[in-house]
């Protein structure tokens, strides 16, 4: 299902939106986290210094420290506090209280140890030491981080589906364009993407360009078809005159045989051109009748007058147009004898007809692109005007059958006409 395809455009855009959302949230979250942490440290430092200053004043007044304040020697101080106080001792003293003489240290050992220490020297080698619990600030910071993460996840739950839904109109237009392009590639030259709504964006420009290309292609192909049909019709009259004149030539003459042979080839090519013109114009319609396929193919091959082996195995009675099946089989058998190698074998099994020769096989270009007019493929497959397989392909399409071309593993070309193809 296209909706669940992770490589679909909607999910790429949704992933881009989610990435952008996470990036913004990460930056904002980092800034908020850092600012909140710094604010918590300032609050803790101010609280510790306030307690320390009050304790120092009481000590100066009474000679005793408050009950919640420790009095320690320098050796009993934590190393960071002792280092900071030693630095203060080296500075010139003043008669005025100076907060710079107070040392603080944030002692953090996650997950459960968060203290703000403060110390000030009151006597020689006697220090007032305050230790203030910072767990409340840390828990507040952790709750803030969790809230940011939850908010980001909630935003993603909203942003990702919204981005996927927001791209649906674009996806729908692109899918419509792709389906139309495939219809054009399959031969429906009247198909157009069109412009839906008032959107004037890159998709609209692409749709207009594809429609213009399809219209130009249709005009060119119509001109070529008309030209082909006109040329074939114009050739038909003088060709009939030539055939009539050739009938008056002496019978026992080598030149007469050569002229008549070339006239037959030219007449066959003109008839093929006319048939292709009718197929291109969509004027051909199949007339379906119940046909014993094995008997029909055996009779058609016999009437070609070629040395072709026919094998009928479990053939069916199929609903088809016998005239068109005959045309296809004659063209395939003639092509196998003309361009392939003996022996030529025709196999009928159920609703499938297989024609195989033992020559050099179909050229790669034909296997890749199918039959093309006035192209016989590789030179080793002989010479001809290349219309036989094109006519066979067109007649198969009129029948709703599938005509495929392949090369046998042990050599030779294989053409298969399936009169009852399974739906793709």
């Amino acid at each position: 299902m296209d909706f669940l395809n992770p490589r679909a455009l909607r999910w790429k855009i949704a992933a881009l939106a989610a990435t952008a959302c996470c990036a913004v949230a990460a930056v904002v979250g980092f800034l908020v986290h850092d600012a909140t942490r710094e604010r918590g440290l300032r609050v803790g430092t101010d609280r510790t210094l306030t307690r320390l200053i009050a304790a120092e004043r009481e000590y100066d007044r009474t000679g005793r420290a408050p009950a919640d304040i420790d009095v320690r020697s320098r050796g009993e101080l934590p190393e960071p506090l002792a280092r900071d106080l030693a630095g203060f001792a080296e500075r010139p003293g003043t008669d005025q209280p100076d907060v710079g003489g107070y040392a603080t240290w944030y002692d953090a050992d996650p997950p459960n140890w968060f203290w703000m220490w403060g110390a000030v020297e009151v006597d020689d080698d006697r220090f007032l030491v305050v230790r203030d619990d910072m767990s409340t600030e840390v828990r507040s910071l952790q709750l803030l981080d969790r809230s940011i993460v939850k908010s980001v996840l909630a935003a993603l739950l909203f942003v990702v589906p919204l981005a996927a839904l927001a791209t649906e109109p674009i996806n729908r237009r692109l899918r419509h364009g792709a389906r139309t392009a495939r219809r054009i590639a399959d031969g429906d030259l009247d198909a157009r993407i069109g412009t839906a709504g008032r959107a004037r964006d890159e998709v609209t420009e692409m749709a207009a360009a594809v429609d213009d290309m399809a219209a130009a292609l249709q005009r060119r192909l119509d001109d070529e078809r008309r030209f082909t049909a006109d040329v074939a019709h114009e050739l038909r009259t003088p060709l009939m005159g030539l055939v009539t004149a050739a009938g008056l030539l002496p019978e026992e003459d080598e030149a007469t045989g050569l002229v008549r042979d070339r006239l037959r080839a030219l007449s066959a090519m003109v008839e093929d051109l006319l048939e292709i013109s009718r197929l291109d114009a969509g004027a051909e319609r199949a007339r379906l009748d119940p046909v014993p396929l094995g008997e029909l193919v055996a009779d058609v091959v016999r009437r070609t007058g070629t040395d072709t082996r026919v094998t009928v195995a479990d053939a069916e009675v199929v609903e088809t147009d016998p005239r068109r099946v005959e045309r296809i089989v004659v063209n395939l058998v003639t092509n196998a004898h003309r361009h392939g190698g003996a022996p030529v074998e025709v196999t009928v099994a159920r609703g499938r007809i297989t024609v195989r020769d033992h020559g050099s096989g179909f050229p790669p270009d034909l296997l890749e692109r199918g039959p093309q007019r006035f192209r016989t493929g590789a030179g080793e497959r002989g010479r001809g005007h290349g219309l036989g397989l094109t006519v066979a392909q067109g007649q198969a399409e009129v029948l709703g059958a599938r005509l495929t071309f392949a090369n046998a593993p042990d050599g030779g070309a294989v053409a298969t006409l399936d009169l009852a193809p399974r739906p793709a």
Side-chain angles (χ1 to χ4, degrees):
M1 184 183 297
D2 181 67
F3 185 79
L4 299 179
N5 181 11
R7 293 180 294 179
L9 180 62
R10 62 163 60 86
W11 297 119
K12 292 181 179 179
I13 295 177
L16 181 62
T19 303
C21 180
C22 290
V24 172
V27 173
V28 174
F30 174 78
L31 294 176
V32 172
H33 174 92
D34 192 61
T36 304
R37 180 178 180 277
E38 291 297 326
R39 180 178 176 277
L41 289 176
R42 286 197 302 270
V43 170
T45 302
D46 292 343
R47 188 169 62 236
T48 299
L49 289 176
T50 299
R51 289 181 60 196
L52 199 59
I53 291 172
E56 183 185 21
R57 289 174 179 172
E58 183 174 347
Y59 184 87
D60 290 342
R61 188 175 64 253
T62 63
R64 295 191 305 273
D68 59 341
I69 304 298
D70 293 338
V71 179
R72 300 186 183 185
S73 65
R74 185 178 296 275
E76 295 173 332
L77 293 177
E79 191 274 334
L81 284 178
R83 185 176 60 250
D84 288 348
L85 290 171
F88 292 138
E90 295 174 358
R91 303 171 189 169
T94 63
D95 295 335
Q96 301 297 326
D98 186 359
V99 78
Y102 299 90
T104 59
W105 169 50
Y106 181 52
D107 183 13
D109 186 14
N112 299 315
W113 185 273
F114 302 97
W115 297 94
M116 180 66 73
W117 293 76
V120 63
E121 187 176 7
V122 291
D123 286 327
D124 187 27
D125 199 36
R126 290 177 64 82
F127 298 87
L128 298 180
V129 179
V130 173
R131 191 177 67 167
D132 197 62
D133 188 6
M134 295 288 291
S135 298
T136 301
E137 285 76 9
V138 172
R139 282 194 294 270
S140 297
L141 184 61
Q142 292 172 345
L143 289 175
L144 175 64
D145 292 341
R146 293 193 189 99
S147 298
I148 292 175
V149 172
K150 291 178 181 178
S151 299
V152 171
L153 293 177
L156 288 178
L157 291 176
F158 175 75
V159 168
V160 172
L162 181 63
L165 291 175
T167 59
E168 181 56 27
I170 297 177
N171 291 333
R172 188 160 48 244
R173 292 162 63 193
L174 290 174
R175 287 195 299 270
H176 172 65
R179 287 193 300 268
T180 304
R182 281 192 289 268
R183 288 172 55 194
I184 294 172
D186 291 338
D188 184 7
L189 298 181
D190 292 324
R192 296 292 184 271
I193 298 176
T195 55
R198 300 181 179 180
R200 293 294 180 268
D201 52 17
E202 291 82 356
V203 179
T204 303
E205 293 180 7
M206 182 201 69
V210 172
D211 287 347
D212 292 342
M213 179 191 69
L217 178 62
Q218 185 177 31
R219 287 193 298 270
R220 178 168 295 184
L221 290 178
D222 288 341
D223 291 342
E224 291 182 357
R225 289 169 181 171
R226 281 193 297 269
F227 175 76
T228 301
D230 292 343
V231 167
H233 279 291
E234 292 297 327
L235 287 175
R236 206 172 193 181
T237 300
L239 182 60
M240 294 305 298
L242 287 174
V243 171
T244 302
L248 301 177
L249 294 175
E251 292 294 337
E252 302 299 331
D253 192 336
E254 183 178 351
T256 299
L258 180 61
V259 169
R260 289 176 178 175
D261 178 69
R262 293 298 87 197
L263 283 176
R264 280 193 296 269
L266 182 59
S267 179
M269 183 179 70
V270 171
E271 292 301 324
D272 285 345
L273 286 174
L274 288 173
E275 187 170 356
I276 288 174
S277 298
R278 291 192 299 270
L279 291 170
D280 286 344
E284 296 290 311
R285 295 291 183 271
R287 298 181 59 180
L288 304 181
D289 293 305
V291 176
L293 193 60
E295 297 177 13
L296 173 64
V297 172
D299 181 63
V300 169
V301 173
R302 179 182 55 80
R303 285 189 280 112
T304 61
T306 59
D307 183 15
T308 304
R309 183 170 60 195
V310 179
T311 302
V312 178
D314 193 23
E316 296 180 341
V317 175
V318 297
E319 288 279 339
T320 189
D321 188 329
R323 183 180 67 84
R324 299 185 190 280
V325 173
E326 176 180 351
R327 186 79 164 103
I328 295 171
V329 172
V330 168
N331 281 15
L332 294 179
V333 170
T334 302
N335 183 81
H337 280 283
R338 181 179 299 165
H339 303 299
V344 175
E345 303 170 347
V346 177
T347 304
V348 184
R350 301 183 68 83
R352 181 174 298 173
I353 305 169
T354 303
V355 179
R356 176 185 177 181
D357 64 52
H358 290 74
S360 58
F362 290 119
D365 188 60
L366 186 144
L367 296 178
E368 179 181 355
R369 302 182 183 180
Q372 300 180 57
R373 302 169 192 182
F374 297 104
R375 294 190 64 179
T376 58
E380 61 270 17
R381 296 247 338 143
R383 302 177 61 183
H385 51 68
L387 296 178
L389 295 182
T390 305
V391 171
Q393 184 78 64
Q395 294 290 6
E397 292 174 359
V398 174
L399 290 174
R402 182 167 57 231
L403 180 59
T404 57
F405 303 94
N407 288 331
D410 55 345
V414 180
T416 303
L417 176 66
D418 191 350
L419 293 171
R422 296 179 181 177

